[in-house]
Amino acid sequence: MKIGIVCYPTFGGSGVVATELGKALAAKGHRIHFITYSQPVRLDIFSENISYHEVKISNYPLFEYAPYESALTSMLVDVAMHEGLDILHVHYAIPHASVAYLAKQILISKGIYIPVVTTLHGTDITLVGRDSSYEPVVTFAINQSDGVTAVSQSLKNDTYANFHVCKDIEVIYNFIDLKRFSKKPKDHFKRAIVPGGERLLVHTSNFRKVKRVEDVIHVFEKVNRVIPSKLLMIGDGDERVAIEKLCRDLNLCDDVRFLGKQDAIEEILSVCDLFIMPSASESFGLAALEAMACQVPVISSDAGGMPELNVHGVTGYLSKVGDVDDMARNALKILKDDNTLNQFKHNALKRASEFDINRILPLYEAYYSKIIQSVKAEV
Ligand code: GMT
């Protein structure tokens, strides 16, 4: 198949999923065209089956806000026409679903019908999309997509609960490349970070409010009082300055290291004992899946799709959003002795294997074929 993929090219989960999906489809012989405003961060390979089309945005002085949507639409029309796309898969509804709709209409006016699949990822539904400044467009664009997928059952339910969506939504879970995300022999790194054999806790995110990063610090502070431990904070974002201040206020600076944005995240996860994800909202929790694949159990909130990934008492524990006492208690249960910790690590990997990309990829391929066939039957 010739597949166009539109996504945010950043470290965010939707961009990661879209890029890894495109890479894996290309490896199976599909022809993939990424259409984004800069090179996706995970697009780190050369493949004869992958092309990257950069959307150029005019900076004419009249524009206080550059018309990105118009530039993206034009690029979609151009790529669809000249590369003969079979299907267009857009990730994150805003603005990609409405851009795809407009591109589809322009192509119809030229006698070309390109089916559009929209994948809903999380905040496009649970946070941003519900805002009245976007909601009518999001609802319309989802309903106009030929196919709609969501990354968890919880996100599917949220979509029906918050939008007047009449389309069937197919749940296709996030996935993991277990060749890349596996425990790597990085003992020298571990010895450098925890020379005294302390337990090593970790959090990765974009440090936005929705991630409740302050809860990570409070949980760590409670764990650290009982078990000698260190915390690695990976990522960057709006909340980072406040979180660093919180660490200073709680006198935790010697035990908390801020590593910023990292590419080889699997190498860091490989030396960690516990992942903390206290998010207020999380449609799936891809970062937790990455940790689990590297044999790191998860302490998380029970928000959104987290219970569909993190199995309470098996791969980690779930707590109510904001209940840092419960999260700390659960963390201590896992970290208290090596036997228990090793059992949780084993369980985390076993669960992560259920989301192996080799299992999920055929679901996307089958879904594309179904949508292409149903559109052909209608046209
Ligand atoms: O978590 C973020 O803020 C990034 C966001 C995105 O769309 O880039 O992540 C969302 O999509 C991921 C991939 O499908 C999911 O695993 C995350 O759970 C989801 N984040 C939220 O729902 C907050």
Side-chain angles (χ1 to χ4, degrees):
M1 274 179 262
K2 290 183 183 168
I3 305 160
I5 294 183
V6 178
C7 64
Y8 283 101
T10 52
F11 276 89
S14 60
V16 168
V17 169
T19 312
E20 296 294 349
L21 176 62
K23 281 157 63 176
L25 288 165
K28 283 185 85 173
H30 298 287
R31 189 79 186 83
I32 304 302
H33 294 269
F34 285 102
I35 306 136
T36 60
Y37 59 76
S38 67
Q39 173 134 351
V41 284
R42 286 276 181 98
L43 191 53
D44 48 5
I45 53 156
F46 168 76
S47 159
E48 70 276 19
N49 284 335
I50 296 180
S51 300
Y52 161 56
H53 308 263
E54 187 164 301
V55 180
K56 298 273 187 303
I57 310 163
S58 159
N59 60 355
Y60 186 65
L62 176 68
F63 302 143
E64 189 172 342
Y65 304 102
Y68 171 62
E69 277 100 324
S70 297
L72 178 58
T73 307
S74 296
M75 182 65 96
L76 291 186
V77 170
D78 187 78
V79 173
M81 281 175 64
H82 297 113
E83 302 292 348
L85 295 184
D86 296 307
I87 195 158
L88 185 58
H89 188 178
V90 301
H91 292 258
Y92 206 91
I94 307 166
H96 300 146
S98 51
V99 164
Y101 169 74
L102 182 55
K104 191 165 82 174
Q105 295 308 312
I106 295 171
L107 287 160
I108 287 173
S109 75
K110 295 174 188 296
I112 300 168
Y113 197 101
I114 302 282
V116 170
V117 169
T118 298
T119 290
L120 309 173
H121 277 274
T123 46
D124 46 352
I125 294 300
T126 55
L127 211 67
V128 195
R130 288 169 67 180
D131 189 301
S132 57
S133 48
Y134 299 111
E135 184 279 323
V137 177
V138 173
T139 304
F140 178 81
I142 291 174
N143 281 325
Q144 293 298 323
S145 299
D146 298 287
V148 183
T149 76
V151 299
S152 65
Q153 184 62 43
S154 150
L155 185 59
K156 175 176 173 172
N157 298 345
D158 279 344
T159 308
Y160 286 131
N162 294 304
F163 298 84
H164 293 291
V165 165
C166 49
K167 295 285 303 183
D168 279 344
I169 299 178
E170 181 99 351
V171 173
I172 304 183
Y173 283 113
N174 281 174
F175 51 80
I176 191 84
D177 177 359
L178 291 165
K179 283 208 286 295
R180 173 171 177 181
F181 284 89
S182 59
K183 195 171 173 65
K184 308 275 187 285
K186 291 281 160 192
D187 290 350
H188 57 289
F189 175 51
K190 183 151 193 163
R191 278 194 296 277
I193 303 227
V194 283
E198 298 91 334
R199 298 294 196 206
L200 191 51
L201 287 73
V202 64
H203 170 77
T204 72
S205 77
N206 49 29
F207 285 57
R208 293 202 200 114
K209 270 242 173 304
V210 68
K211 301 294 174 180
R212 293 187 66 96
V213 189
E214 67 282 8
D215 287 1
V216 176
I217 304 300
H218 290 301
V219 171
F220 174 70
E221 196 244 344
K222 290 171 197 300
V223 170
N224 190 243
R225 270 193 236 150
V226 182
I227 293 182
S229 44
K230 303 270 182 199
L231 172 65
L232 297 180
M233 300 290 283
I234 304 170
D236 212 332
D238 294 347
E239 295 295 296
R240 173 149 171 199
V241 173
I243 299 303
E244 291 205 42
K245 180 173 179 309
L246 180 61
C247 289
R248 286 194 291 276
D249 293 347
L250 295 174
N251 201 19
L252 287 172
C253 295
D254 288 345
D255 293 325
V256 182
R257 292 265 298 267
F258 287 83
L259 301 184
K261 291 179 182 168
Q262 295 283 332
D263 285 328
I265 192 97
E266 65 279 11
E267 297 189 1
I268 304 171
L269 291 169
S270 290
V271 300
C272 294
D273 298 307
L274 193 66
F275 187 83
I276 309 179
M277 185 175 245
S279 309
S281 164
E282 200 69 63
S283 66
F284 178 86
L286 182 64
L289 175 58
E290 292 179 346
M292 289 162 67
C294 296
Q295 301 184 29
V296 187
V298 174
I299 289 295
S300 72
S301 69
D302 61 359
M306 285 310 303
E308 293 172 62
L309 170 66
N310 187 17
V311 185
H312 189 69
V314 178
T315 61
Y317 287 98
L318 300 157
S319 303
K320 294 273 164 252
V321 173
D323 192 345
V324 291
D325 288 328
D326 193 52
M327 290 180 195
R329 262 195 310 276
N330 289 335
L332 289 167
K333 275 191 227 165
I334 296 175
L335 297 172
K336 64 177 188 240
D337 62 70
D338 285 348
N339 279 348
T340 310
L341 177 58
N342 288 336
Q343 185 61 54
F344 273 90
K345 287 187 173 192
H346 170 84
N347 297 347
L349 172 58
K350 193 161 167 247
R351 176 74 177 144
S353 308
E354 291 171 34
F355 299 90
D356 185 340
I357 189 165
N358 296 313
R359 289 183 176 201
I360 306 291
L361 194 66
L363 304 181
Y364 274 112
E365 288 176 291
Y367 190 67
Y368 292 156
S369 298
K370 184 176 117 181
I371 296 300
I372 291 169
Q373 287 315 318
S374 68
V375 162
K376 271 195 188 134
E378 276 170 31
V379 175

